[in-house]
Amino acid sequence: MKKSEMSEPPFRCGMEAVLDLVGGKWKLLILYHVCRQRLRFSELRRLIGDVSEKMLSQQLKEMVADGLLQRIDFKTVPPHVEYEATAFGLALGRSMQPVCEWGEQHMEAIAAIAEARAARQ
């Protein structure tokens, strides 16, 4: 097979693949909360805080389509829908635990950096 006929790998490293899956501001936070327990849309919105309904809905749809979350529709009136992590999503969530711990350990320094960044802008 000629080199020109070989397809390029979709990602150059594992981190690039993960960022393709959960890139953006909200997906890792969503995954963090849903890995802890099954949650309704309104519960997620309260836990996450500053996310709009439209953005949260879009991110959840993408995460369900990508196999990270499962949407459970109880088929009731009024609608009752919950989200839970799939085995694929749980595995990613567990792998992020050391990053969460690092963030906890360095939260004051990170807050100072964020303040300095905001002051520069």
Side-chain angles (χ1 to χ4, degrees):
M1 180 179 275
K2 294 181 191 175
K3 188 172 184 171
S4 62
E5 294 174 3
M6 295 174 54
S7 65
E8 289 288 321
F11 307 107
R12 291 179 293 268
C13 69
M15 183 60 75
E16 191 176 332
V18 170
L19 288 174
D20 183 73
L21 194 60
V22 293
K25 187 173 180 179
W26 305 110
K27 286 184 180 178
L28 283 175
L29 280 172
I30 293 167
L31 188 63
Y32 171 79
H33 290 296
V34 175
C35 278
R36 298 169 147 243
Q37 63 183 327
R38 184 189 291 184
L39 292 167
R40 294 181 75 162
F41 182 91
S42 58
E43 293 170 320
L44 262 171
R45 185 144 187 249
R46 274 192 299 276
L47 287 168
I48 293 172
D50 197 28
V51 63
S52 70
E53 280 190 27
K54 180 182 177 184
M55 180 57 69
L56 180 57
S57 178
Q58 177 185 335
Q59 301 286 279
L60 287 168
K61 285 177 186 173
E62 290 175 11
M63 293 174 78
V64 168
D66 291 344
L68 292 168
L69 303 181
Q70 177 179 344
R71 182 180 187 270
I72 301 156
D73 186 347
F74 290 87
K75 307 227 185 276
T76 59
V77 176
H80 179 164
V81 175
E82 294 180 352
Y83 294 89
E84 70 179 358
T86 63
F88 184 56
L90 284 169
L92 177 57
R94 281 192 296 273
S95 75
M96 296 306 298
Q97 188 59 37
V99 176
C100 291
E101 291 168 8
W102 183 88
E104 289 286 334
Q105 293 168 1
H106 298 90
M107 201 173 292
E108 287 182 29
I110 296 166
I113 291 166
E115 271 186 46
R117 188 183 307 131
R120 287 191 302 266
Q121 294 176 351

